[in-house]
């Protein structure tokens, strides 16, 4: 077999100043042969992106290579001069960045930026040739109307189109190796699949080797021949994709495989299933709502819910934008309903309407059988708040950074005047126990905690008033796989223990599979499909649902 | 773009009405009878006073006076100065001088701010950057009249490199010294703005993209870093231009530059309240329009607004 | 790992190398940390902070107790000493009137600092009210308040102060000067606070507070404002310097404090005509003014660096 195109040997990278460097990579070695696709998988902080940046010598901030070597085409990249490495980038190694929204310069047209790549790598020289080649690469990248789009600016492109343009740039000079750093994590799920398919077919045609960086084990295994698992700046396991998936050996990889929602095929079961109360048992039977609706009052019921926002279009005029369009669903008590959709589908708006953070344009909302659609009196409003609490997506934004954990968790008790100082303190301790956080953190501040810990604090706060319903708005989307798995398990346990009803808003169908009983799929403000998770996953009736399901990476690998 | 311009133009109307109203109201609320000041120590005859009162519409309610004044302003009539000259005439004479001075100052400011800000931003934390930051702090702290006096004393009087005061015709060469003083006093803010946005831009993903597609540093810096960093700097320099256009009152006064600012300076020094107010009204109008121009310039520089 | 695996080998790192910790645990240091504590820890390590803080403190003491620094009566001027040079007990010499320059600089501190503090107080109170209400409540309240702010913003505050002081020429005192400057300097404060509140009010912790049943007003005061004031503190410190300069400029133009009040601006203005003969009478009060402003600006810079994580990264 031929020689590897890229050989990384004992690569070390450090950040920070010279006096107190912090090593981020502790000796990473890997090889990539011509034409193959290799994936590096890891959680945030694993060093996967640092490895990618170090290969092309574009480490951010104070980062620098402190040891080891990077051999590309028999040249040690880390010893090259600046001019030499500049000529290697683009021509030898192409790079597709993570966030297409921020990766194109907003003040230059897309055509200009692609032409720059064409010119800089000597693919074409004369003005006419450059223009032709620019149009050509953009066409190849799937922008069929490339000629008309040359003069457009990045903000006139959708996310997927931007990523296509970036791929066009990276491949403009036919590099031998393409590094793709989380190329689709900022895109909607259905777009992700299209972009990845396109990336595979492009590189297969040109026999370009690909180094794919991703946090998603399923995606890595599906797209790459070989998978490298990284943990805290080191490689813990590497080998052929399927083998890693089916036969993980290192304990970390085992945990990763077990936790990956895209690979799981069933709902997380709570350890205490038997302990369900009579009400909950009733709810689990009532899967075929509305037949049983008369008997058991559902926790949440919305009918023809509609929300219209006026969008400014001219100086004085505005057009209506229908964010939620006649949406109806029922969430039986003690169960989890997942509301799934891509960005802009209106799923978060429904959450806000149910939480009474915004007022609906028309339709009705019933919580525990009581109509809450219209303005409530202040006493009824407070009672509703007690009954229903939210947990939000961003673990960094959902806790007031200037307050201690104790003050955050006890705030609901203070607002609703529950207990005295002493009893509140006890309740906070109890809640922190419940979400498996030590009592010791009560006097800490949010910035001292990790993302997962913060999300637990947010859950503790939501539980403080002993609510019956919790609205989880993308509550686990920002978390790493293992942490996400833990939080989902915690939620399931709490549900069984306390008989909670969850409305679970998410864009990630893979998470739905492991965390929900019922699912409603939203597209452009409308609910296009509803049913139990098993039904929908087995027999999606809508084209859109099928597309979403297909977009779960690696779903069929272990079947 | 059209929509942006339209919206911006519409926003100017309440600002124009509001500012003129505000200034006019202050004059109206001025204690004492404005007419009596005309006569100084002499006691005028009541009939004449009545006649003048009617002539200047002082017998009308405030809002009518304001509307009459506004109507006059729209026709270019801003009243008469203490020396009996029409304010509009004084403006026509002094404005070109102020404009030339402003151009000198702004061009110097822009060049210095962009060059030094860029170098400093690219060499963040190095010796040059640190020294530069300290100098800029000192420049920010020195009041303009102190700077002007220092320049006048050392360069004009001690060294004799330039005339300490500007002569009546205000040739370009004599405007250079006050121009430099103004540029120095404004430079620090613009330089820091350039430096900060160079540093921010350098860390942007699109700069990384530019490097990753194989562009050399000598192209990335001007095309991707500087071009983007210029937007806030140019906007700030534009606002400074607005401030200078309405007259660098203090600097023009000290160097005796025969510009708008000096006219106001003299009026203030001679305690001619109403004249000061007439000037200020015109200045505010100019300021508002220069700022409108700056906003449009901003739109031109940023395609996200241009193609809204 | 010198002998690297061939293409299809299955590599597993020795387990002993990797203690796999609690999944979402984070090493919590023994020191409690939050924004204000972190800022203090950051700031107390800086030379620039101590230098500017000491100078500011000194200026405050000079302003409050000028008698500690000079026994010479600044208003007892002897024409015999007109423009005389430094002498024992009179380190800065005399001005044209024969007054002791050092004593005048010391006694002038009070006026400058008073105007500065009062001005900042006025512009902050008005600016915070406008910015907070507009930013938090949005809609028509914001539209109205922002337009009013635009109007005041469209008149450069020095020009506005000149007009006010020319109009109310018989009420020249510290309070009037502060009102004249602060009355038009507040839109800057309002704009900064408004944009900061717009950023904070969409944070999830604010939504969470509303979802708990907190009233809007309480949410504003308990969660939004405390998280929005950091840039305001910086701005306030920086504009204190600006206000002192503004007062000196007005006094210099002859529309600020009355000539009988001792202030640096008045002294600079008076010394202007003697620039050729006795430039030092001009330079000493100018230096006092510059050093004071520099101290406040440096303090503001240090605070900005410490309070703003972006500035920290950009340093």
């Amino acid at each position: 077999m031929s020689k590897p195109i890229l050989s990384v040997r004992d690569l070390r990278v450090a950040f920070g100043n010279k006096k107190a460097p912090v090593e981020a990579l502790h000796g990473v070695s890997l090889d990539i042969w011509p034409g193959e696709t290799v994936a590096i998988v890891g959680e945030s902080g694993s060093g996967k992106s640092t490895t990618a940046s170090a290969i092309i010598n574009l480490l951010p901030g104070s980062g620098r290579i402190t040891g080891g070597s990077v051999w590309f085409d028999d040249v040690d990249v880390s010893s090259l001069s600046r001019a030499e490495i500049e000529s290697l980038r683009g021509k030898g190694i192409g790079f597709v960045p993570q966030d297409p929204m921020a990766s194109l310069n907003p003040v230059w047209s897309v055509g200009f930026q692609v032409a720059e790549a064409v010119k800089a790598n000597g693919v074409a020289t004369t003005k006419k040739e450059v223009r032709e080649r620019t149009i050509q690469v953009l066409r190849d990248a799937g922008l069929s109307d490339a000629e008309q789009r040359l003069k457009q600016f990045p903000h006139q492109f959708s996310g997927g189109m931007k990523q296509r343009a970036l791929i066009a740039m990276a491949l403009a000079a036919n590099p031998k190796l393409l590094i793709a750093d989380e190329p689709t994590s900022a895109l909607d799920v259905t777009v992700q699949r299209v972009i990845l398919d396109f990336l595979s077919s492009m590189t297969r045609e040109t026999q370009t080797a690909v180094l794919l960086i991703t946090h998603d084990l399923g995606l890595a295994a599906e797209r790459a021949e070989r998978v490298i698992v990284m943990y805290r700046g080191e490689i813990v396991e590497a080998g052929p994709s399927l083998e890693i998936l089916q036969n993980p050996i290192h304990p970390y990889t085992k945990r990763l495989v077990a936790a990956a929602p895209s690979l799981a095929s069933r709902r997380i079961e709570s350890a205490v299933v038997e302990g369900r109360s009579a009400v909950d048992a009733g709810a689990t039977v009532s899967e075929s709502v509305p037949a049983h609706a008369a008997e058991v009052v559902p926790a949440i019921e919305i009918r023809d819910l509609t929300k219209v926002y006026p969008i400014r279009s001219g100086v004085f005029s505005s057009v209506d934008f229908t964010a939620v369009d006649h949406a109806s669903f029922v969430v039986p008590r003690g169960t989890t309903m997942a509301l799934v959709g891509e960005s802009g589908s209106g799923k978060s708006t429904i959450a806000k309407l149910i939480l009474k953070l915004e007022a609906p344009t028309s339709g009705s909302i019933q919580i525990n059988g009581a109509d809450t659609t219209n303005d409530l009196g202040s006493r009824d409003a407070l009672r509703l708040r007690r009954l229903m609490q939210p947990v939000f997506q961003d673990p960094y934004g959902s806790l007031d950074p200037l307050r201690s954990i104790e003050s955050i968790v006890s705030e609901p008790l203070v607002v609703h005047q529950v207990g005295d100082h002493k009893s509140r303190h006890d309740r906070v301790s109890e809640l922190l126990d419940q979400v498996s956080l030590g009592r010791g953190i009560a006097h800490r501040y949010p910035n001292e905690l990790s993302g997962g810990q913060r999300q637990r604090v947010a859950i503790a706060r939501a539980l403080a008033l002993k609510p019956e319903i919790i609205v989880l708005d993308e509550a686990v989307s920002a978390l790493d796989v293992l942490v996400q798995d833990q939080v989902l398990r915690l939620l399931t346990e709490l549900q069984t223990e306390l008989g909670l009803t969850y409305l679970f808003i998410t864009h990630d169908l893979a998470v739905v599979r492991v965390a929900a009983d019922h699912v409603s799929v939203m597209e452009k403000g409308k609910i296009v499909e509803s049913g139990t998770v098993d039904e929908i996953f087995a027999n999606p009736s809508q084209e859109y649902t099928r597309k979403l399901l297909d977009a779960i990476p690696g779903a069929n690998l272990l079947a | 773009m059209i929509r942006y311009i339209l919206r911006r133009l519409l926003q100017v109307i309440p600002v124009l009405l509001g500012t003129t109203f505000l200034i006019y109201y202050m004059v109206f609320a001025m204690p004492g009878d404005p007419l009596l000041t005309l006569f100084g120590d002499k006691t005028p005859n009541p009939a004449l006073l009545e006649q003048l009162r009617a002539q200047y519409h002082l017998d009308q309610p405030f809002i009518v006076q304001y509307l009459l004044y506004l109507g006059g302003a729209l026709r270019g009539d801003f009243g008469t100065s203490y020396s009996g000259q029409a304010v509009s005439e004084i403006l026509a004479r002094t404005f070109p001088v102020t404009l030339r001075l402003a151009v000198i100052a702004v061009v110097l400011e822009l060049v210095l701010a962009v060059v030094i800000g860029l170098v400093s931003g690219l060499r963040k934390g190095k010796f040059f950057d640190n020294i530069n930051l300290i100098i800029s702090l000192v420049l920010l702290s020195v009041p303009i009249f102190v700077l002007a006096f220092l320049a006048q004393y050392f360069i004009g009087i001690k060294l004799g490199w330039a005339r300490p005061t500007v002569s009546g015709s205000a040739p370009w060469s004599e405007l250079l010294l006050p121009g430099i003083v103004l540029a120095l006093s404004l430079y620090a803010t613009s330089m820091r703005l350039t430096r900060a946005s160079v540093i921010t831009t350098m860390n942007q993903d699109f700069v990384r993209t530019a490097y990753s597609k194989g562009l050399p540093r000598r192209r990335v810096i001007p095309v991707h870093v500087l071009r983007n960093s210029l937007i806030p700097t140019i906007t700030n320099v534009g606002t400074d231009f607005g401030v200078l256009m309405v007259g660098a009152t203090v600097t023009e006064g000290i160097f005796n530059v025969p510009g708008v600012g000096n006219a106001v300076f003299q009026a203030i020094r001679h305690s001619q309240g109403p004249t000061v107010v007439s000037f200020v009204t015109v200045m505010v109008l100019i300021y508002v329009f220069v700022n409108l121009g700056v906003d449009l310039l901003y739109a031109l520089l940023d395609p996200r607004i241009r193609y809204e | 790992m010198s002998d690297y695996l061939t293409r299809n080998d299955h590599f597993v790192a020795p387990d002993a190398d990797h203690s796999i910790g609690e999944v979402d645990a984070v090493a919590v240091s023994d020191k409690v940390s939050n924004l204000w504590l972190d800022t203090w820890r950051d700031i107390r390590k800086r030379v620039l902070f101590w230098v500017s803080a000491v100078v500011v403190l000194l200026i405050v003491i000079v302003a409050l107790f000028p008698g500690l620094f000079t026994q010479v009566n600044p208003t007892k001027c002897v024409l015999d000493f007109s423009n005389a040079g430094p002498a024992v007990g009179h380190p800065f010499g005399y001005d044209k009137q024969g007054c002791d320059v050092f004593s005048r600089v010391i006694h002038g501190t009070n006026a400058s600092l008073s105007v500065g503090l009062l001005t900042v107080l006025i512009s902050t109170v008005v600016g915070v009210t406008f910015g907070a209400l507009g930013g938090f409540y949005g809609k028509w309240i914001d539209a109205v308040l922002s337009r009013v702010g635009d109007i005041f913003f469209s008149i450069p505050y020095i020009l506005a102060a000149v007009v006010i002081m020319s109009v109310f020429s018989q009420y020249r005192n510290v309070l009037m000067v502060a009102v004249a400057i602060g009355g038009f300097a507040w839109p800057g404060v309002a704009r900064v606070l408004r944009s900061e509140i717009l950023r904070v009010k969409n944070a999830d912790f604010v939504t969470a507070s509303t979802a708990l049943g907190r009233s809007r007003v309480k949410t504003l005061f308990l969660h939004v404002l405390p998280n929005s004031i950091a840039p305001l503190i910086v701005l306030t410190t920086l504009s204190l310097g600006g206000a002192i300069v503004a007062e000196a400029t007005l006094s210099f133009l002859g529309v600020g404090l009355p000539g009988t009040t001792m202030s640096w601006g008045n002294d600079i203005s008076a010394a202007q005509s003697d620039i050729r003969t006795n430039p030092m009478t001009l330079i000493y009060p100018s230096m006092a003014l510059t050093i004071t402003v520099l101290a406040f600006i440096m303090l503001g810079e240090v605070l900005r660096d410490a309070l703003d994580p972006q500035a920290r990264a950009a340093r």
Side-chain angles (χ1 to χ4, degrees):
Chain A
M1 182 135 255
S2 58
K3 279 194 305 182
I5 178 116
L6 179 81
S7 283
V8 177
R9 285 291 170 271
D10 200 29
L11 184 66
R12 284 165 193 278
V13 168
F15 288 89
N17 57 20
K18 289 241 157 59
K19 276 180 236 155
V22 179
E23 200 173 75
L25 291 185
H26 319 291
V28 167
S29 301
L30 58 94
D31 288 278
I32 297 175
W33 275 267
E36 75 166 341
T37 299
V38 175
I40 302 184
V41 183
E43 296 182 296
S44 51
S46 64
K48 56 185 194 304
S49 284
T50 307
T51 309
S53 315
I55 292 170
I56 49 168
N57 215 334
L58 277 181
L59 286 165
S62 59
R64 63 199 177 275
I65 295 173
T66 49
S69 54
V70 176
W71 294 86
F72 179 79
D73 245 1
D74 292 328
V75 183
D76 184 359
V77 177
S78 54
S79 71
L80 291 182
S81 71
R82 195 174 79 199
E84 284 167 325
I85 200 152
E86 279 168 357
S87 75
L88 179 73
R89 291 187 200 128
K91 217 179 295 178
I93 306 176
F95 184 83
V96 180
Q98 176 167 12
D99 181 4
M101 314 300 160
S103 295
L104 286 167
N105 190 333
V107 307
W108 295 110
S109 71
V110 174
F112 174 90
Q113 296 184 59
V114 178
E116 264 190 323
V118 170
K119 262 188 281 185
N121 296 304
V123 182
T125 40
T126 68
K127 215 173 166 182
K128 192 159 162 274
E129 277 173 12
V130 170
R131 188 182 148 83
E132 278 166 5
R133 177 71 189 157
T134 303
I135 293 171
Q136 183 59 45
V137 295
L138 279 171
R139 276 225 183 96
D140 289 346
L143 295 169
S144 50
D145 49 353
E147 207 162 342
Q148 289 86 275
R149 292 200 168 267
L150 283 184
K151 284 216 161 71
Q152 289 195 330
F153 285 87
H155 69 275
Q156 294 163 300
F157 274 47
S158 70
M161 281 159 62
K162 281 184 204 164
Q163 197 58 299
R164 284 174 188 274
L166 283 159
I167 293 172
M169 274 181 216
L171 292 175
N174 299 317
K176 290 182 195 146
L177 172 67
L178 185 75
I179 300 177
D181 186 2
E182 300 258 17
T184 57
S185 54
L187 302 174
D188 264 334
V189 273
T190 49
V191 184
Q192 282 183 9
R193 175 138 213 113
V194 177
I195 294 285
L196 286 169
D197 283 347
F198 157 70
L199 197 62
S200 316
S201 69
M202 278 293 277
T203 49
R204 204 177 310 122
E205 254 169 51
T206 52
Q207 275 297 297
T208 314
V210 178
L211 177 62
L212 180 67
I213 314 290
T214 177
H215 64 279
D216 189 333
L217 194 55
L219 188 149
E222 187 184 73
R223 298 289 168 178
E225 285 115 59
R226 288 195 295 127
V227 167
I228 296 169
V229 181
M230 285 189 74
Y231 177 65
R232 295 197 181 166
E234 287 179 66
I235 294 175
V236 293
E237 192 159 355
S241 307
L242 268 181
E243 207 178 311
I244 297 275
L245 233 50
Q246 288 164 340
N247 186 22
I249 296 170
H250 194 278
Y252 177 73
T253 321
K254 280 186 181 163
R255 281 167 84 168
L256 213 54
V257 171
S262 56
L263 300 169
S265 51
R266 43 199 287 269
R267 194 181 188 318
I268 297 174
E269 293 288 337
S270 166
V272 279
V273 180
E274 285 79 25
R276 290 204 169 186
S277 68
V279 184
D280 298 327
T284 32
V285 181
S286 72
E287 271 165 7
S288 47
V289 226
H292 292 257
E295 298 161 33
V296 184
V297 179
I300 305 173
E301 180 170 6
I302 62 169
R303 284 265 166 267
D304 288 329
L305 199 60
T306 301
K307 176 70 185 177
V308 178
Y309 291 104
I311 303 255
R312 201 172 191 165
S313 64
V315 180
F316 293 115
S317 57
S318 65
V319 285
D320 286 344
F321 168 71
T322 308
V324 179
D325 194 358
H326 292 90
S328 307
F329 61 71
V330 174
V331 187
R333 216 176 280 196
T335 66
T336 302
M337 156 75 95
L339 198 55
V340 189
E342 295 186 291
S343 55
S345 62
K347 56 188 193 303
S348 285
T349 309
I350 289 195
K352 282 189 194 134
L353 295 175
I354 290 177
L355 284 165
K356 285 205 75 68
L357 297 170
E358 288 194 30
T361 310
S362 66
S364 72
I365 305 169
Q366 295 204 342
I367 306 293
N368 273 359
D371 193 302
T372 64
T373 319
N374 298 314
D375 275 343
L376 304 170
S378 61
R379 261 193 45 224
D380 285 345
L382 270 182
R383 197 179 305 146
L384 179 69
R385 302 281 183 216
R386 245 180 124 142
L387 199 65
M388 182 168 59
Q389 278 294 302
V391 175
F392 297 107
Q393 170 174 18
D394 177 13
Y396 292 88
S398 58
L399 309 177
D400 187 337
L402 293 178
R403 304 200 157 225
S404 70
I405 304 301
E406 165 136 24
S407 148
I408 289 169
V409 176
S410 64
E411 186 178 4
L413 305 172
V414 176
V415 174
H416 291 264
Q417 297 167 350
V418 178
D420 55 11
H421 189 76
K422 171 80 178 59
S423 72
R424 281 178 204 153
H425 177 79
D426 294 343
R427 176 78 179 134
V428 169
S429 303
E430 189 189 335
L431 284 163
L432 290 178
D433 282 346
Q434 226 161 19
V435 297
S436 318
L437 283 170
R439 292 176 184 199
I441 71 160
H443 301 290
R444 297 294 178 165
Y445 288 83
N447 62 325
E448 301 177 87
L449 307 183
S450 70
Q453 287 174 324
R454 288 174 206 221
Q455 211 58 321
R456 283 159 191 267
V457 173
I459 293 170
R461 171 177 59 190
L463 291 175
L465 293 167
K466 302 184 178 159
E468 294 173 26
I469 303 165
I470 295 190
V471 178
L472 302 150
D473 191 356
E474 299 271 11
V476 296
S477 311
L479 305 175
D480 269 329
V481 191
L482 291 182
V483 183
Q484 184 179 335
D485 182 53
Q486 276 200 338
V487 172
L488 287 175
R489 281 175 197 284
L490 172 70
L491 288 171
T492 311
E493 269 163 36
L494 290 170
Q495 181 166 45
T496 330
E497 243 173 77
L498 308 170
L500 297 168
T501 306
Y502 291 145
L503 178 61
F504 197 101
I505 316 274
T506 182
H507 68 276
D508 192 349
L509 264 176
V511 172
V512 171
R513 159 118 262 169
V514 297
D517 306 307
H518 301 263
V519 59
S520 289
V521 181
M522 282 195 83
E523 187 191 12
K524 292 175 188 154
K526 290 197 172 73
I527 291 181
V528 293
E529 192 161 3
S530 277
T532 66
V533 170
D534 291 338
E535 276 168 26
I536 302 277
F537 273 67
N539 290 311
S541 68
Q542 292 289 319
E543 177 62 29
Y544 182 70
T545 315
R546 215 167 294 141
K547 257 169 76 186
L548 285 179
L549 282 171
D550 284 345
I552 302 176
N556 305 316
L557 282 175
L558 288 182
Chain B
M1 181 73 173
I2 303 274
R3 204 195 302 162
Y4 174 81
I5 296 176
L6 260 173
R7 200 164 63 216
R8 200 59 196 72
L9 276 172
L10 278 177
Q11 277 175 2
V12 160
I13 294 171
V15 168
L16 284 180
L17 287 175
T19 44
T20 48
F21 185 87
L22 208 61
I23 296 170
Y24 198 78
Y25 184 77
M26 283 195 275
V27 183
F28 182 79
M30 179 160 33
D33 190 331
L35 283 180
L36 288 178
T37 53
L38 273 180
F39 295 92
D41 295 336
K42 283 174 277 182
T43 317
N45 116 31
L48 179 62
L49 209 57
E50 248 356 88
Q51 191 199 328
L52 281 171
R53 217 177 279 284
Q55 188 187 332
Y56 290 108
H57 309 290
L58 293 176
D59 50 352
Q60 308 279 340
F62 167 69
I63 193 75
V64 175
Q65 288 188 42
Y66 169 68
L67 290 175
L68 284 167
Y69 160 80
L70 203 65
L74 281 178
R75 291 191 306 271
D77 174 14
F78 295 100
T80 314
S81 88
Y82 61 95
S83 56
Q85 262 183 312
V87 167
S88 50
E89 263 174 54
I90 299 178
L91 280 172
R93 192 183 66 233
T94 53
F95 195 70
V97 181
T98 294
L99 189 65
R100 282 194 287 145
L101 182 62
V103 167
I104 293 178
V106 159
V107 168
L108 275 176
E109 178 197 0
L110 186 65
V111 172
L112 280 177
V114 168
V115 173
I116 299 179
L118 177 66
V119 175
S120 208
L122 292 177
R123 310 183 58 87
K124 182 189 98 189
K126 304 267 172 62
F127 181 74
F128 177 85
D129 184 37
N130 288 335
I131 292 291
N132 181 39
L133 281 182
I134 292 172
I135 293 176
S136 74
L137 275 188
V138 174
L139 276 177
L140 276 176
S141 317
V142 181
I144 177 81
F145 52 89
V146 172
L147 204 62
F149 279 133
L150 289 178
Q152 196 178 37
Y153 180 70
F154 285 106
I155 295 173
I157 297 171
K158 278 270 171 174
L159 298 169
W161 289 353
R163 279 181 59 115
T165 51
V166 176
S167 50
S169 57
W172 285 95
S173 59
E174 290 180 12
L175 288 178
L176 198 59
L177 187 60
I180 291 172
V181 167
L182 286 172
L184 278 181
S185 77
L186 297 169
Y187 144 86
T189 311
S190 296
M191 188 283 289
R192 292 174 146 255
L193 213 53
T194 313
R195 176 185 176 273
S197 68
V198 163
I199 292 169
T200 323
T201 313
M202 284 292 282
N203 290 323
Q204 296 281 321
D205 283 351
F206 62 76
V207 171
R208 213 169 119 93
T209 308
Y211 277 118
S212 77
K213 65 190 179 190
L215 298 186
R217 191 179 152 90
R218 60 168 193 281
R219 182 169 172 91
V220 176
I221 298 296
V223 175
H224 290 281
V225 177
L226 190 60
R227 169 64 175 78
N228 291 59
S229 312
L230 277 181
I231 298 175
T233 311
I234 290 185
T235 317
N236 187 57
V237 171
T239 314
D240 285 346
F241 186 66
V243 174
L244 292 178
M245 291 281 278
V246 307
T249 312
V250 174
T251 316
E252 287 190 5
I254 291 172
F255 288 100
N256 202 26
V257 178
V260 183
N262 200 12
V264 181
F265 185 78
Q266 299 308 333
I268 299 169
R269 287 248 149 154
H270 294 95
S271 305
Q272 294 294 329
T275 314
V276 173
V277 171
S278 315
F279 275 119
V280 169
T281 312
V282 184
M283 288 172 156
V284 167
L285 297 186
I286 296 172
Y287 186 69
V288 168
F289 279 107
V290 173
N291 275 341
L292 178 67
V294 171
D295 274 5
L296 300 185
L297 185 69
Y298 182 81
L300 219 59
L301 287 172
D302 192 335
R304 280 164 292 189
I305 298 177
R306 201 189 324 157
Y307 290 91
E308 193 187 10
Chain C
M1 257 196 267
S2 51
D3 289 349
Y4 197 64
L5 57 152
T6 55
R7 200 164 167 171
N8 288 318
D9 275 355
H10 187 159
F11 162 82
V12 182
D15 188 22
D17 292 4
H18 311 273
S19 53
I20 293 170
E22 254 314 288
V23 170
D24 59 356
V26 148
V28 175
S29 73
D30 49 341
K31 277 188 199 147
V32 173
S33 108
N34 66 33
L35 178 75
W36 300 113
L37 281 171
D38 286 350
T39 301
W40 168 238
R41 282 189 197 125
D42 183 43
I43 225 170
R44 70 179 176 193
K45 280 184 269 177
R46 295 171 192 233
V47 184
L48 210 58
F49 167 72
W50 289 110
V51 171
S52 49
V54 165
V55 174
V56 166
L57 195 69
L58 192 72
I59 292 164
V60 172
I61 296 173
V62 169
L64 288 178
F65 312 104
L68 291 177
F69 299 86
T70 176
Q71 264 74 53
V72 181
N73 185 343
T75 49
K76 211 177 141 203
C77 309
V78 183
L79 273 173
D80 292 354
F81 292 126
S82 177
N83 286 338
V88 179
H90 307 279
F92 291 176
Y94 299 86
D95 66 8
K96 194 156 82 180
Q97 283 359 126
C99 310
D100 179 272
V101 173
F102 179 73
S103 179
R104 287 194 71 88
V105 167
I106 291 290
H107 285 271
T109 311
N110 189 300
S112 290
L113 204 63
S114 309
V115 172
L117 287 172
L118 260 176
T119 303
V120 168
L121 186 73
I122 291 168
S123 65
T124 305
V125 168
V126 181
V128 166
T129 311
F130 271 70
L133 294 182
F136 189 65
Y137 288 101
K139 306 216 172 107
W140 66 269
I141 299 180
D142 187 32
V144 170
L145 295 184
S146 291
R147 287 296 87 78
V148 174
D150 283 351
I151 290 169
F152 280 78
F153 201 72
S154 297
I155 307 179
Y157 69 90
I158 282 283
L159 273 187
V162 162
V163 171
I164 296 176
M165 295 311 293
S166 309
V167 168
F168 297 97
S169 50
Q170 62 267 63
Y171 303 110
R172 286 193 188 160
N173 54 45
V174 168
L175 182 66
M176 193 63 216
V177 173
V179 168
I181 304 169
F184 279 82
W186 62 265
V189 178
R191 285 184 176 197
V192 167
L193 186 67
R194 177 177 174 272
S195 68
E196 193 64 12
I197 281 190
L198 285 181
R199 185 183 67 79
V200 174
K201 82 165 181 184
N202 289 320
D204 283 341
F205 67 81
V206 176
T207 318
S209 170
T210 315
L212 279 180
R214 277 251 199 245
S215 67
R216 298 273 286 158
V217 182
K218 278 197 167 168
T219 305
L220 172 63
F221 278 98
L222 291 172
H223 292 289
V224 179
L225 269 183
N227 279 288
S228 312
I229 52 168
L232 208 64
I233 291 173
V234 175
L235 184 70
T236 306
T237 320
L238 291 175
S239 51
L240 201 70
I244 291 173
V245 171
E247 178 274 319
T249 309
L250 290 180
S251 296
F252 171 78
L253 288 172
V255 291
L257 296 170
T260 49
T261 307
M262 255 178 297
S263 88
W264 297 332
N266 276 339
D267 283 3
I268 295 170
S269 181
Q272 189 192 353
S273 51
D274 304 323
I275 186 167
R276 282 166 196 273
T277 51
N278 191 4
M280 294 323 274
T281 52
L282 184 89
I283 286 174
Y284 284 124
S286 301
M287 268 171 57
L289 182 61
T290 306
I291 289 170
T292 307
V293 177
L294 184 62
F296 282 113
I297 287 188
M298 280 197 324
L299 198 60
E301 282 290 316
V302 175
L303 285 171
R304 186 212 300 273
D305 268 9
L307 282 170
D308 179 9
Q310 264 183 339
R312 216 182 292 189
R315 197 163 60 216

